[in-house]
Amino acid sequence: MKTISAEEFDRKFDDGEDISEYIDWTTATRPNLEPVVLTVTVTRGTKLRLERQARELGVPADTLLEEWLREKLDAVTPSAAE
């Protein structure tokens, strides 16, 4: 892995250059994307409808719920750095 200054790294990134040679992919992380547990109480009917829709789409129910929440939040507020 090559080393450059933060300013040079930012410039290359902003200019759309390939910066992969400056990143240690074995330790790279994406901030604010770590899974967290969120407890939501819904009626049994809502849970069943969510699970049915998720099955039809071939995705886990929690993935579908997260996507729907993200879509709703993006509709009302600009996306913060995720």
Side-chain angles (χ1 to χ4, degrees), residues 5-72:
S5 70
E7 292 81 15
E8 182 68 9
F9 182 89
D10 289 345
R11 185 197 59 73
K12 287 179 178 290
F13 178 82
D14 291 342
D15 290 346
E17 295 182 36
D18 181 6
I19 55 171
S20 59
E21 63 187 312
Y22 306 105
I23 299 173
D24 180 356
W25 294 107
T26 63
T27 59
T29 61
R30 295 179 68 187
N32 298 322
L33 292 181
E34 305 85 16
V36 295
V37 174
L38 173 67
T39 302
V40 179
T41 303
V42 297
T43 64
R44 179 169 166 72
T46 299
K47 179 181 182 279
L48 293 172
R49 290 173 61 196
L50 174 65
E51 290 171 341
R52 184 179 314 117
Q53 184 67 42
R55 271 193 312 275
E56 289 176 11
L57 296 171
V59 297
D62 57 340
T63 300
L64 180 59
L65 185 56
E66 180 181 3
E67 179 60 29
W68 284 349
L69 287 170
R70 188 180 307 112
E71 287 174 3
K72 185 66 172 179

